[in-house]
Amino acid sequence: MKKLIYLAMSVFCAVETIYGIYLTITGHNALLASILTDLLFAFLAWFFMHLFLKPEPRHKHQATNAPESSSEASSDAPTVETAPITHVDTNDGVEDDYVAIDIETTGLGRSARIIELGAVRIRRGRKVASFSQLVNPQIPIPAKVTQITGITDRDVKGKPTIDKALTKFYAFCGHDTWIGHNIRRFDLPVIAREAERAGVGMPDVSFYDTLEISQTLLPQLDRHRLLDLIRYFGIAKTERHRAADDAAQTAQVFEHLKQI
């Protein structure tokens, strides 16, 4: 309802601005008063449009219903109830205390397995702790993934499997809101599938997606990858494609987005 009011007010103010300009040109209004009135209505039109476009995420989202790739998931995975994953409202007072998360995987399809979990805990906008865990996916890591992340089969040999790694990851995250880049369509569905496969369950999670926020607040950017945003905000020139490092950069991006 608020969105419709904002849109209506923006349109009304825009019309008043155009009408005021017309009256000024035709000489029906005093010049100075008309200009000031036109500027006021133009500002109000912009302000209400900004409120209309500003993200107000409060939608419930089921991780298992996220868009998937064409590859099929393992059919012998145990069935586990996946808890709803909920966006939080910007007025809930949690945006200064959260965990930023990131994962590295063996690929992008439904059969992808996690090879690294990373997270940083943020309190009042500052990092106070970090979590990094290599995960044994129990399948070979593709050469292309190793080329991107630097993670090899030797690196994950003897590391915890996903059931044990996720338990540690959940413990670190606690009840904090999760922040992630493309978290809705990638990180959360992958974690949910891995949790289902391992039979460890998925906790109730509230989240912000910095990809979605940047697409709304920074429409002038051609692309909204994490790499694009860390360069735009002057955070770094490159991303390492390691989970904890990318999580830390995501937190920095989120802090910058909060200032817009």
Side-chain angles (χ1 to χ4, degrees):
M1 185 62 183
K2 287 194 300 182
K3 291 287 189 180
L4 291 177
I5 294 174
Y6 292 151
L7 180 60
M9 290 300 296
S10 178
V11 172
F12 171 77
C13 292
V15 170
E16 285 294 319
T17 301
I18 296 171
Y19 183 63
I21 293 173
Y22 168 76
L23 291 179
T24 302
I25 294 174
T26 56
H28 290 79
N29 278 346
L31 181 60
L32 180 59
S34 179
I35 291 175
L36 291 176
T37 302
D38 291 343
L39 289 175
L40 174 61
F41 276 112
F43 170 77
L44 290 174
W46 170 85
F47 177 72
F48 284 116
M49 183 57 69
H50 173 74
L51 293 178
F52 173 72
L53 294 175
K54 185 177 181 180
E56 193 175 1
R58 211 174 164 74
H59 312 293
K60 288 193 174 181
H61 169 70
Q62 196 78 11
T64 52
N65 290 337
E68 306 290 358
S69 70
S70 58
S71 357
E72 295 298 324
S74 172
S75 59
D76 57 355
T79 301
V80 177
E81 289 292 328
T82 302
I85 296 170
T86 313
H87 272 299
V88 294
D89 185 76
T90 53
N91 296 321
D92 286 344
V94 299
E95 62 268 26
D96 290 332
D97 296 342
Y98 56 87
V99 290
I101 69 106
D102 188 68
I103 61 175
E104 301 299 336
T105 66
T106 58
L108 300 177
R110 285 183 56 92
S111 60
R113 295 195 177 185
I114 294 173
I115 58 175
E116 188 174 40
L117 291 160
V120 293
R121 183 179 298 129
I122 305 296
R123 293 293 179 265
R124 297 188 178 181
R126 297 191 176 188
K127 184 173 76 171
V128 297
S130 62
F131 174 91
S132 179
Q133 178 64 66
L134 287 170
V135 182
N136 185 350
Q138 299 177 296
I139 61 173
I141 298 175
K144 186 175 181 180
V145 172
T146 295
Q147 183 179 5
I148 295 172
T149 65
I151 301 174
T152 67
D153 290 327
R154 180 178 296 180
D155 293 329
V156 299
K157 184 178 180 180
K159 298 298 181 182
T161 50
I162 193 61
D163 53 338
K164 297 180 178 65
L166 275 180
T167 300
K168 295 179 181 179
F169 179 73
Y170 292 160
F172 178 84
C173 293
H175 298 291
D176 282 359
T177 297
W178 289 12
I179 308 296
H181 197 74
N182 200 25
I183 188 174
R184 177 199 288 272
R185 290 193 174 134
F186 182 68
D187 302 77
L188 288 177
V190 173
I191 292 173
R193 285 196 298 268
E194 285 282 70
E196 182 177 359
R197 181 175 66 84
V200 297
M202 182 80 179
D204 287 335
V205 178
S206 296
F207 71 95
Y208 287 103
D209 192 326
T210 51
L211 173 62
E212 295 176 356
I213 296 173
S214 70
Q215 287 173 333
T216 300
L217 298 183
L218 300 171
Q220 70 273 24
L221 296 184
D222 294 329
R223 305 182 72 178
H224 296 265
R225 299 170 303 172
L226 181 59
L227 176 62
D228 301 313
L229 295 179
I230 61 176
R231 287 177 175 175
Y232 178 78
F233 289 121
I235 295 169
K237 293 183 179 180
T238 60
E239 55 180 319
R240 286 195 59 203
H241 292 290
R242 293 301 299 264
D245 294 323
D246 289 354
Q249 290 182 339
T250 299
Q252 290 177 284
V253 166
F254 184 62
E255 292 300 316
H256 281 283
L257 290 171
K258 284 161 52 179
Q259 305 305 316
I260 298 177

